[in-house]
Amino acid sequence: MGIIKNYDTLNSNENRKIALELIETAFSSLTPQEIFKNFLFEDNKLKILEEEFDLSNFDRVFLVGFGKGSAEMSRIIEEKLGDRLTVGYDIDVVDETPFKKIEYTKGTHPLPSQENFDYTAKVIEKLTGLTEKDFVIVVTCGGGSALFEKPNTFSLEEMQKMNKGLLECGATISEMNTIRKHVSQVKGGGLAKILYPASVVNIIFSDVPGNDLSVIASAPLVKDPTTIEEAKEVIKKYNLTIPTESDLVERPKEDKYFEKVKNILMLSNLTAINAMAKKAEELGFTPRTLTDRLQGDARVTGEKLINETHSGEILLAGGETTMKVVGRGLGGRNQALALFSLPFLDENTLLVSFSTDGWDFYWFAGAMVDKDTKKKIKEMNIDVNEYLDDDNSYGLLERIGDGIRTGKQESNVSDLYIVIKR
């Protein structure tokens, strides 16, 4: 196995061996090489899935990429387009990628930084004033909300404070992005207005449960259905002190800005879920996909997944849970979900929760828990509640060795869940 770095440590029983094969299959299905089998460029014709664009109708071709995984996606597009690409810009969290015509910026996530602001300002400056003879390819990946940002009035400190508050209050990704869109110049269709009247194809790699295009990366190229009033309701619901009402602005609603924008969903968590289901069948098991849009409190979702799983089946799901942070420990929602499910696991059940970008906030992609986890906790005389009460799931998983290590991956399509009940 190649992606899971601590495969041998985790592979302690038959259920774990099956789960590890499914996890590897999921990650392999999301590699850029696999994804871009559906991206072809020949004789000035660009074909993406079922859509085709004749680039001979345009004088210049630009590329704009943002989000976790966008660097490698943009590099492959640059390679395929060759000299037809005029210039491009990309921001991701990985180290420098060997580009030829694309200017790369290493940004930050989950909180924005000055590097993120400067990159976005550069894109706006360089691509303001395009004409109908220009064609723009946009690579939109999960994490784009933080990486591609230019606020209306906020300072960097104010924007970081707002995003930190949103991440810790327990708001859903839709609720968070409702606020983010109304304090930004580029979100909620803002980029579409900037690029108008050029033709735009937006290649989307979804990390949002249900793949709502008006939510992914806060929808810089999609007309925003939300309003300032809805943003105010989210602020009130979670008792957020910022932004103030004067910082909220309405997003562009005119149809003309979106008539020449083609949004293409290139990848979602269903890609990985379907790949895992196929692998499970090959291994002789009966898989069942519960949902691709799982949401809820990470502290209780594991129990629900276990209760949904029938004896003798493998349950698969995708989505994104939330957590209201109350402690000072380290760890992400996937690590917490797995550990909070421990009391509900019997001898024959295993649960896995992991992030497809390989980084559940702190070093692990996620975790797998089962009877072996319980055995180690008992033998080491560990007080699990001491860790969970402090939101220190990473600390506990590091100690018992059940975190999944993959390193940062090149795609990001939200989180995945596996329950095996023999």
Side-chain angles (χ1 to χ4, degrees):
M1 296 292 182
I3 297 175
I4 302 172
K5 301 182 185 304
N6 57 338
Y7 180 94
D8 292 338
T9 302
L10 294 171
N11 186 22
S12 59
N13 62 50
E14 190 60 27
N15 273 357
R16 286 180 172 232
K17 181 178 180 180
I18 296 162
L20 288 165
E21 289 201 47
L22 296 180
I23 298 167
E24 285 281 342
T25 297
F27 279 119
S28 296
S29 73
L30 303 174
T31 61
Q33 293 74 18
E34 187 68 24
I35 297 162
F36 277 91
K37 289 179 180 178
N38 296 310
F39 185 104
L40 304 171
F41 181 64
E42 191 174 10
D43 297 329
N44 238 353
K45 300 290 195 304
L46 176 62
K47 186 174 183 181
I48 307 172
L49 297 179
E50 303 304 315
E51 301 290 341
E52 187 171 290
F53 307 89
D54 187 353
L55 298 191
S56 64
N57 295 324
F58 303 96
D59 293 336
R60 298 182 297 178
V61 177
F62 299 94
L63 183 146
V64 177
F66 45 84
K68 292 185 289 183
S70 65
E72 182 60 14
M73 308 301 179
S74 297
R75 187 196 65 76
I76 293 174
I77 294 173
E78 177 190 67
E79 183 179 282
K80 287 179 178 288
L81 291 179
D83 291 338
R84 194 64 184 88
L85 179 65
T86 304
V87 69
Y89 310 92
D90 181 72
I91 185 168
D92 199 340
V93 295
V94 298
D95 292 328
E96 185 70 37
T97 297
F99 290 119
K100 295 177 181 177
K101 290 189 173 183
I102 294 175
E103 297 179 22
Y104 179 69
T105 299
K106 182 177 180 180
T108 59
H109 183 274
L111 297 179
S113 62
Q114 191 60 49
E115 288 79 11
N116 300 13
F117 284 11
D118 290 346
Y119 168 81
T120 309
K122 178 172 69 175
V123 168
I124 294 173
E125 177 190 355
K126 298 292 186 181
L127 299 185
T128 294
L130 298 185
T131 73
E132 294 180 348
K133 297 296 289 182
D134 292 317
F135 187 84
V136 185
I137 300 171
V138 178
V139 178
T140 300
C141 295
S145 287
L147 285 159
F148 190 60
E149 179 61 282
K150 183 168 175 52
N152 293 311
T153 60
F154 278 10
S155 66
L156 174 60
E157 183 180 358
E158 289 169 330
M159 187 61 81
Q160 289 176 333
K161 183 179 179 183
M162 184 197 78
N163 276 277
K164 189 173 188 295
L166 288 172
L167 289 168
E168 294 181 351
C169 73
T172 67
I173 189 169
S174 296
E175 290 173 325
M176 287 191 280
N177 286 354
T178 295
I179 293 180
R180 287 166 170 166
K181 285 186 282 191
H182 288 282
V183 299
S184 172
Q185 294 184 31
V186 293
K187 303 185 190 310
L191 181 60
K193 184 175 181 179
I194 291 166
L195 299 180
Y196 177 82
S199 293
V200 181
V201 57
N202 183 22
I203 306 173
I204 301 170
F205 300 84
S206 172
D207 69 334
V208 172
N211 305 318
D212 185 344
L213 300 189
S214 69
V215 175
I216 301 167
S218 299
L221 289 162
V222 179
K223 186 190 294 187
D224 180 31
T226 70
T227 64
I228 288 179
E229 289 305 313
E230 288 173 294
K232 291 178 182 177
E233 288 174 10
V234 177
I235 294 168
K236 183 178 179 181
K237 178 180 177 180
Y238 293 102
N239 238 355
L240 298 170
T241 56
I242 53 173
T244 62
E245 291 188 11
S246 61
D247 295 310
L248 300 170
V249 296
E250 196 52 88
R251 308 316 303 135
K253 304 293 187 185
E254 298 90 337
D255 289 340
K256 69 177 184 178
Y257 297 125
F258 305 94
E259 289 170 351
K260 292 173 136 186
V261 176
K262 185 67 180 180
N263 293 295
I264 299 177
L265 183 61
M266 195 79 168
L267 186 71
S268 73
N269 63 24
L270 275 174
T271 306
I273 292 170
N274 292 338
M276 288 194 294
K278 183 179 178 182
K279 172 58 74 171
E281 290 175 348
E282 291 174 359
L283 295 172
F285 294 91
T286 302
R288 179 166 66 94
T289 298
L290 178 66
T291 180
D292 66 335
R293 55 193 72 188
L294 184 72
Q295 297 186 64
D297 187 338
R299 292 177 172 85
V300 299
T301 301
E303 178 188 3
K304 293 178 180 177
L305 288 170
I306 292 167
N307 292 339
E308 283 281 354
T309 310
H310 304 142
S311 180
E313 78 173 3
I314 294 177
L315 186 77
L316 304 172
E320 188 170 296
T321 59
T322 56
M323 272 190 68
K324 184 175 182 179
V325 178
V326 294
R328 297 184 177 182
L330 303 178
R333 57 181 177 262
N334 290 286
Q335 299 168 60
L337 186 152
L339 291 174
F340 274 99
S341 72
L342 281 172
F344 311 101
L345 292 169
D346 61 27
E347 286 287 304
N348 302 311
T349 305
L350 172 144
L351 179 143
V352 181
S353 179
F354 65 101
S355 172
T356 52
D357 66 3
W359 197 257
D360 187 39
F361 281 98
Y362 297 99
W363 301 287
F364 291 134
M368 65 168 55
V369 289
D370 63 355
K371 62 182 181 181
D372 287 359
T373 309
K374 288 184 168 184
K375 182 181 178 182
K376 286 183 283 190
I377 288 172
K378 184 176 181 180
E379 290 176 346
M380 299 172 73
N381 195 28
I382 295 173
D383 182 353
V384 174
N385 290 329
E386 182 181 330
Y387 285 89
L388 296 184
D389 290 346
D390 194 34
D391 289 324
N392 192 18
S393 54
Y394 171 79
L396 177 54
L397 289 165
E398 174 74 3
R399 188 173 173 188
I400 62 177
D402 280 347
I404 302 168
R405 290 189 184 275
T406 62
K408 292 183 179 180
Q409 297 298 298
E410 295 170 329
S411 294
N412 176 33
V413 292
S414 77
D415 302 331
L416 297 173
Y417 314 92
I418 304 168
V419 181
I420 301 175
K421 188 177 285 190
R422 303 291 289 275

